[in-house]
Every structure is written in C-alpha cells, then in structure tokens.
Amino acid sequence: MARLFGTDGVRGLANGLLTAELALQLAQAAAVVLGHERAANGTRPRAVVARDPRASGEFIAAAVEAGLSSSGIDVYDAGVLPTPAAAYLIADLDADFGVMISASHNPAPDNGIKFFARGGQKLPDEVEDAIEAQLGKEPSRPVAGDVGRIQRFSDAEDRYIVHLLGTLPHRLEGLKVVLDCAHGAASGCSPQVFASAGAEVVVIGAEPDGLNINDGVGSTHLGPLKEAVVKHGADFGIAHDGDADRCLAVDHEGNEVDGDQIMAILALALKKSGKLKDDVLVATVMSNLGLKIALRDAGITLRETAVGDRYVLEAMRDGGFSLGGEQSGHVIFSDYATTGDGVLTGLQIAAQVAGTGRTLQDLARAMTKLPQLMINVKGVDKSRAATDVGVAAAVAAAEVELGDTGRVLLRPSGTEALVRVMVEAADMETATRICTELAGVVEDRLAIPRELAL
C-alpha cells in the first residue's frame, strides 16, 4: 500500500481521496501521536488549526476539529491564514501541535492536511509514519469534562502581522508595491502588513470565493502581476501562492525575479550585515548554477540538498544556518520562521529596495541566470538511472564539455515512471543540444521492455 503522507502532508482531491471521514481519522490519530504529553498542571493538549480559503476547507476543518476535540485536544480555530502564520502561532501560543488545511499552489478542487509539531516544526517522516500507523486503531475517547473544547483564535492574524512587522529593519515609505495574493490565504494579511509598514499598495488576486484560488493569478501565473506593475508604475510586485509560503517577484519593467535571484539578494544582504550564519545559503540541486557562481564570488558557500523544502529545512536545522530556500520561491529565514514564508520574504525584499535605494532589477543582477532546459523522459525504468553505465558515460562526457560553464542533473520522478534531464550551459543552444542528446540516451538505455510496459 502506498504511503498516505507525501512530501508535504496528505494531499488530494477533496471528497475524493481527502474525505471528511479521512480528515476525522487523521485528526484522531494525530491526537494520539502528537497530543500524548500533558502539561505539568494537568491541562489538556492544545492545537492550532488554520486553512486557506478553499470551499472544501470548511468541511475538512470541521472534521479535523471534531476529531481533535473528541480526542481530548483543545482546539484554537485560527480561520483563514497562511501556512507560515499557522506555524508561527503554534510556537507563539506554545501549543502542542497544529494543523494546516491547504493544497498550496494546487487548483481549488484539491486540498491537503499538514501537521506541525510543537514550535511550528514540520514532522519528520517517522512521526508521519506513526500517525499513519495509528489510523484504524481505537482513538482516544475521553468523556464529560475531559473532551476538548473549540474556540476561535480571535487575534491570530494580528499576532502574525505584529511578528512580521517586527522583522523589518526600517519602514517602507516611498515604495509602491503590487501584491498578487492568488485569491488565497494571504488576501487579508499581506496587503495589511505592507500598508502598515508604510508602502503604497496595489492589490490584485485578493477576492477569494472558495473556488478561484490560484486560478490565473499568483506565483504560478505571473502575467497579471507583470501587467499591473507596469500599468501602475510600481517599484516592483510580489506574488504569493494559495497558502502564501512562496514568494516570487516582478521588477518595475515586468521582468520575473525568481527564487534563486531572491535568495542571492537576501544572502548578500545578510552577509553584509553579519547575519548569514557561517556565510552559508542552503538550496536544492535545482537552483541555477548562476546562483552558486554569484555566491562563490561573494565568499558565500551554497549547501545543496535534495528537491523539497523539507530537505532544505533539515539541512538548515542540522547546521544552524539562517537562510535557505528553493527556486520556486520557498524562502526560509530561520531567525524568524520555521517554514517558507512568502509574506515575510516579500517584506525583506522590500526592505532591501528601500534601504539601498536601488531598484529590484538592479539588485537581481547580483546573479546571472544560466540558460536551463529540462526534458521529462517518460516510460523508462527510473530505478536504473543512477546505475546504467551508458547513461553514466553520456553524463560524464557532457560534464567534460560543459566544464565550469554548466552542469547536468538527472533526477528520477518520485511519483511517475520518468526521469528528468536538466542541463545548464553558457547559452541556450548548447543547453538544448546536450539536453536533447542526453534525453535520447536515457530513453534508449532505460526503456521498459514492451512486454513489461503492457
């Protein structure tokens, strides 16, 4: 049986895979695994529950809260909030754990359930496995006064906003910013915090109706933000995804500034201020080689991890590093957050523009993005990608040709029968040629025999 938990909680079609029954059972299982400790004074365990504005989040949140409270957990219902806000509030309230109901950048029909441990930390695999193993077992069934209570966490958003404002080194007067909230969880707090910090704010994608989250707006659809920035003559624009744990940006001319460029800007700023722990930035193997080159020239080491923000977080915790993230816009400031925070990232970008007097476009020139091409080779035996001698020889030859001006990455998909072939080079023509040649080798060498594929 396939593992229920994926790379970021349990996610799937709402009322398909993710039913009210499953949500209730997951909450009951989590109550046993995460809520077993009692406070010294005998009070009940506490959990924070938040969600993004998807319509399905309403019944899923109700099921989760019923499962927790019926298992003896006091529930603080924080309503619609970004994922990083939920993580922050778990720590701020000193709750035992928390639950975020969101499918992040996925379309509205999907939803997900993600658990956080005490302190707002993501769960390690073994704890998720323990929750999954608890499914189907007898849940905790306290009675009378031992059942949990559900209360509205009425000042949840205000606490989060105060926290965000406290991270700024100075105010943002003089800046004009366009915010695209993806009709998602940041629709209320992101415009409020930027305005409170002194910026002039233009807002798009901030009218969630439960069905329009990520629909043609947000970090996965930057077209509307680019148009709005140019139309309003803004200094730059910020795009969130549905649960606001991502941030991508657009400069004053409508050019995209991706997660790698954002990390370069912020790493250089933290190093200059002496706040970049050990002069290390943590990022995944998918980050552009241009980031590594820019950091090396500035005396900063790039620590690479497997793809996924959980692996970035693990490396940051293990080394005590202060900054990490992904090309997709997950940026983690360990001094202020336990997970990627798109609103926090946007504020820190704004602080750099305001503090230096330079445009975002100029700041983004800190790194030069090398041309990058990725081809998904389908219908192959991905298990042999790392061991096939023919594939290894072709990769080695490509790496010799590219030298220090490019790189090759072969990455088997975690969910499909395919291998991703990615090549970076000094020019797109070279990247295209080498990537196409390698994809052909992978297809020929790793082809699944027809009788097995049927």
Side-chain angles (χ1 to χ4, degrees):
M1 180 179 174
R3 188 173 186 265
L4 183 61
F5 281 87
T7 56
D8 206 16
V10 178
R11 190 178 296 183
L13 180 66
N15 251 0
L17 168 70
L18 191 54
T19 62
E21 293 84 357
L22 177 59
L24 177 75
Q25 292 164 8
L26 278 168
Q28 290 173 325
V32 172
V33 174
L34 299 174
H36 61 279
E37 294 183 3
R38 292 294 193 271
N41 61 4
T43 59
R44 285 185 294 266
R46 298 183 295 173
V48 174
V49 177
R51 62 182 179 87
D52 73 22
R54 294 166 207 265
S56 61
E58 297 168 3
F59 78 76
I60 294 172
V64 166
E65 292 179 0
L68 293 177
S69 58
S70 68
S71 300
I73 308 293
D74 282 341
V75 176
Y76 287 73
D77 182 350
V80 174
L81 280 179
T83 291
Y88 168 74
L89 291 165
I90 294 163
D92 192 50
L93 189 67
D94 193 27
D96 295 84
F97 64 99
V99 188
M100 180 68 196
I101 298 160
S102 172
S104 188
H105 57 281
N106 284 26
D110 291 342
N111 217 322
I113 297 176
K114 178 162 45 180
F115 295 97
F116 289 94
R118 181 183 290 278
Q121 301 289 340
K122 287 196 172 185
L123 301 186
D125 287 347
E126 57 268 25
V127 177
E128 289 182 338
D129 290 341
I131 293 173
E132 191 164 337
Q134 181 64 30
L135 290 173
K137 296 182 180 180
E138 184 66 20
S140 175
R141 296 188 187 277
V143 296
D146 290 329
V147 300
R149 306 298 295 273
I150 301 173
Q151 61 181 291
R152 182 79 173 95
F153 197 165
S154 58
D155 64 341
E157 186 172 81
D158 290 340
R159 287 197 193 197
Y160 177 56
I161 289 173
V162 169
H163 160 66
L164 291 174
L165 292 172
T167 70
L168 284 172
H170 46 72
R171 291 181 58 77
L172 306 180
E173 273 86 6
L175 291 185
K176 187 174 185 179
V177 183
V178 179
L179 300 176
D180 183 346
C181 300
H183 297 310
S187 296
C189 65
S190 187
Q192 185 175 341
V193 75
F194 273 87
S196 297
E200 180 183 351
V201 178
V202 177
V203 184
I204 64 173
E207 299 178 356
D209 62 10
L211 303 175
N212 61 356
I213 191 169
N214 301 313
D215 187 6
V217 289
S219 62
T220 53
H221 302 88
L222 291 176
L225 179 61
K226 293 177 180 181
E227 293 176 5
V229 167
V230 174
K231 175 184 176 181
H232 293 280
D235 294 290
F236 58 91
I238 295 294
H240 303 305
D241 62 337
D243 69 335
D245 63 355
R246 293 188 188 190
C247 170
L248 294 179
V250 168
D251 69 23
H252 67 285
E253 292 184 347
N255 302 303
E256 179 180 346
V257 179
D258 70 11
D260 285 341
Q261 294 167 296
I262 290 170
M263 287 189 289
I265 293 168
L266 298 175
L268 291 171
L270 287 176
K271 177 177 170 59
K272 184 177 181 180
S273 65
K275 296 180 180 179
L276 186 65
K277 176 69 184 306
D278 293 341
D279 290 338
V280 169
L281 171 71
V282 181
T284 77
V285 293
M286 290 304 294
S287 278
N288 193 278
L289 180 59
L291 174 62
K292 188 172 186 177
I293 294 171
L295 296 178
R296 181 191 63 200
D297 293 345
I300 299 172
T301 299
L302 180 65
R303 184 71 59 87
E304 293 181 312
T305 75
V307 176
D309 66 326
R310 67 185 304 161
Y311 302 113
V312 174
L313 278 164
E314 287 174 6
M316 291 179 69
R317 283 198 298 266
D318 290 345
F321 301 125
S322 49
L323 184 67
E326 295 185 284
Q327 190 180 63
S328 60
H330 286 110
V331 179
I332 305 155
F333 296 83
S334 63
D335 289 343
Y336 307 121
T338 58
T339 188
D341 190 329
V343 184
L344 172 62
T345 302
L347 284 174
Q348 300 306 314
I349 294 169
Q352 287 306 306
V353 174
T356 63
R358 298 166 62 187
T359 65
L360 178 58
Q361 184 179 83
D362 187 34
L363 290 170
R365 292 193 182 107
M367 70 164 279
T368 300
K369 292 173 63 176
L370 296 184
Q372 183 183 86
L373 180 67
M374 185 164 67
I375 297 176
N376 292 331
V377 185
K378 300 180 179 180
V380 295
D381 182 359
K382 62 184 180 181
S383 67
R384 294 193 290 117
T387 58
D388 184 86
V389 293
V391 172
V395 170
E399 290 175 336
V400 169
E401 179 180 350
L402 290 168
D404 293 334
T405 64
R407 65 174 180 139
V408 174
L409 179 66
L410 262 64
R411 189 166 68 90
S413 168
T415 58
E416 302 173 79
L418 62 84
V419 173
R420 307 187 197 282
V421 180
M422 190 272 283
V423 173
E424 290 172 344
D427 58 83
M428 183 53 78
E429 182 180 352
T430 301
T432 301
R433 174 176 57 80
I434 293 178
C435 193
T436 302
E437 291 171 356
L438 284 176
V441 173
V442 169
E443 186 171 28
D444 291 341
R445 298 284 304 186
L446 305 185
I448 299 174
R450 179 176 177 80
E451 60 272 17
L452 297 179
L454 294 176

